[in-house]
Amino acid sequence: MSPKNVRSGASLAVALLACCVALNARAGEKTDLTPELVVEQDYDSNIFFTTHDPNDSLVTIIRPSLNIENTGTLGSARLYGYVSEHIYWSESKLNGFDRGVGGELSRQILPRTTIFGNGSYQRIAAHLEIRGPDVVTTTPSPAPGIPGETVVQPGQLIEGASPDINLAQGVFGVRQDLTPRTQLELSGGPFSIDYLPDPGSISTWRDRSGWFGGVTLTHLLTPLDKLTFQLSANDTDFADVSGGSFFVADPTDPHTISINTGRTTSDLQSLTVGWQHAWSEVWNTTIAVGGRRLHTRTSDALRPLTRGG
């Protein structure tokens, strides 16, 4: 699923307001409060990502936000929040109002130990079903129905409706300097994607949630070269979704059955070994090799069965 709040195209961004207010803080630390309002004007040449007959549109984005940041000799902390309205000039069904909050933290608690973390919550706006122009036909005389009757059929489906989406994630970790040239980092956290369909409607969107974690060992070979070993894992649960009830025309036992996807669990583990050489402050070369294992299993799925005699 790809929410329509992100589009390709040329972008012109104008920052209308940005001011910083220094607040009282402890010695060696500074706290800044930054409100900001950004108005962005885009042009998208293909808003539906179609191969033929693309539709274009101007897209206006209005995004006020508030950022509070504390920095000091031992680390930093930041909290932020925003609302963002996107307006499609040629297709109002894609208009929406997104919002989100989040924060991040990095703090040295011992001479060689630093803790860090971040988290965020976003609500991505829904959009309505989008179809092409209605197809208007007239029933000819030989065909069934009333001769000369005007029949109006919905146009071709261009893009299905998308519900409101809640996105949430968090990560917490610790970074330990084992030696002046070797560093060990452990991190992980949860994530979730929650679709919010209209009450009473049949949802085909599968909520998902899970966790991820990793261990990274970094060793400086020279001031310009470093070697990295990384072991990571994640686990994702996909919710069971019902596709509704379907009638089974069995002459001896007519009945209905429910079609559902079942609950799916996916586990992924990976190991990577990499080398990086820094040619300058902006250029570097990275070579990495590794492997991964993916295990996916589905349970309690129910679909129609076709039997051959």
Side-chain angles (χ1 to χ4, degrees):
M1 193 284 300
S2 177
K4 288 295 182 181
N5 66 317
V6 181
R7 303 286 171 178
S8 60
S11 170
L12 173 64
V14 181
L16 297 183
L17 173 64
C19 63
C20 297
V21 180
L23 304 179
N24 293 329
R26 293 175 295 178
E29 294 190 356
K30 182 180 71 170
T31 301
D32 293 326
L33 174 65
T34 308
E36 185 178 54
L37 175 62
V38 174
V39 176
E40 179 178 333
Q41 184 59 60
D42 295 350
Y43 169 74
D44 192 329
S45 61
N46 190 355
I47 60 177
F48 300 124
F49 305 104
T50 54
T51 304
H52 305 288
D53 301 323
N55 299 84
D56 64 343
S57 177
L58 291 172
V59 186
T60 301
I61 299 174
I62 304 173
R63 180 186 172 104
S65 62
L66 181 65
N67 184 80
I68 304 174
E69 185 170 9
N70 176 271
T71 57
T73 56
L74 297 179
S76 62
R78 184 170 77 99
L79 294 174
Y80 64 87
Y82 73 90
V83 293
S84 178
E85 183 174 16
H86 45 277
I87 303 169
Y88 286 79
W89 292 28
S90 65
E91 184 50 79
S92 61
K93 291 181 179 179
L94 290 178
N95 296 347
F97 189 79
D98 306 328
R99 54 272 201 196
V101 294
E104 54 189 46
L105 167 72
S106 178
R107 192 79 174 180
Q108 183 179 355
I109 58 174
L110 294 172
R112 292 188 175 185
T113 306
T114 300
I115 60 173
F116 61 91
N118 65 72
S120 65
Y121 163 81
Q122 299 177 75
R123 168 70 66 85
I124 306 300
H127 68 74
L128 301 175
E129 180 180 87
I130 299 170
R131 289 183 175 271
D134 291 341
V135 179
V136 180
T137 58
T138 301
T139 304
S141 298
I146 302 174
E149 179 186 18
T150 300
V151 179
V152 180
Q153 296 178 324
Q156 180 182 5
L157 180 65
I158 298 176
E159 182 164 322
S162 169
D164 287 329
I165 309 170
N166 285 339
L167 305 177
Q169 66 86 28
V171 61
F172 179 79
V174 58
R175 191 177 297 115
Q176 179 71 38
D177 292 331
L178 302 178
T179 71
R181 300 172 62 181
T182 306
Q183 184 182 85
L184 178 67
E185 180 179 302
L186 295 87
S187 62
F191 64 89
S192 70
I193 303 176
D194 184 18
Y195 298 97
L196 307 175
D198 294 332
S201 65
I202 296 176
S203 174
T204 58
W205 301 87
R206 302 185 69 181
D207 296 342
R208 64 197 68 177
S209 61
W211 60 268
F212 58 93
V215 179
T216 303
L217 181 66
T218 304
H219 179 71
L220 292 178
L221 300 172
T222 70
L224 300 179
D225 297 89
K226 67 179 180 180
L227 189 64
T228 302
F229 299 87
Q230 185 177 51
L231 177 65
S232 61
N234 68 65
D235 180 273
T236 305
D237 291 332
F238 295 83
D240 185 10
V241 173
S242 173
S245 297
F246 293 83
F247 178 72
V248 178
D250 187 337
T252 61
D253 182 24
H255 61 282
T256 60
I257 60 173
S258 297
I259 309 301
N260 59 291
T261 62
R263 179 177 176 269
T264 302
T265 301
S266 177
D267 302 317
L268 175 66
Q269 299 87 35
S270 65
L271 174 64
T272 305
V273 180
W275 166 79
Q276 184 180 91
H277 177 79
W279 301 99
S280 67
E281 294 182 354
V282 295
W283 293 99
N284 63 70
T285 298
T286 300
I287 299 176
V289 295
R292 67 176 184 174
R293 172 186 177 273
L294 175 63
H295 180 216
T296 301
R297 54 193 178 276
T298 299
S299 59
D300 301 325
L302 179 61
R303 299 177 175 89
L305 299 178
T306 301
R307 296 182 175 88

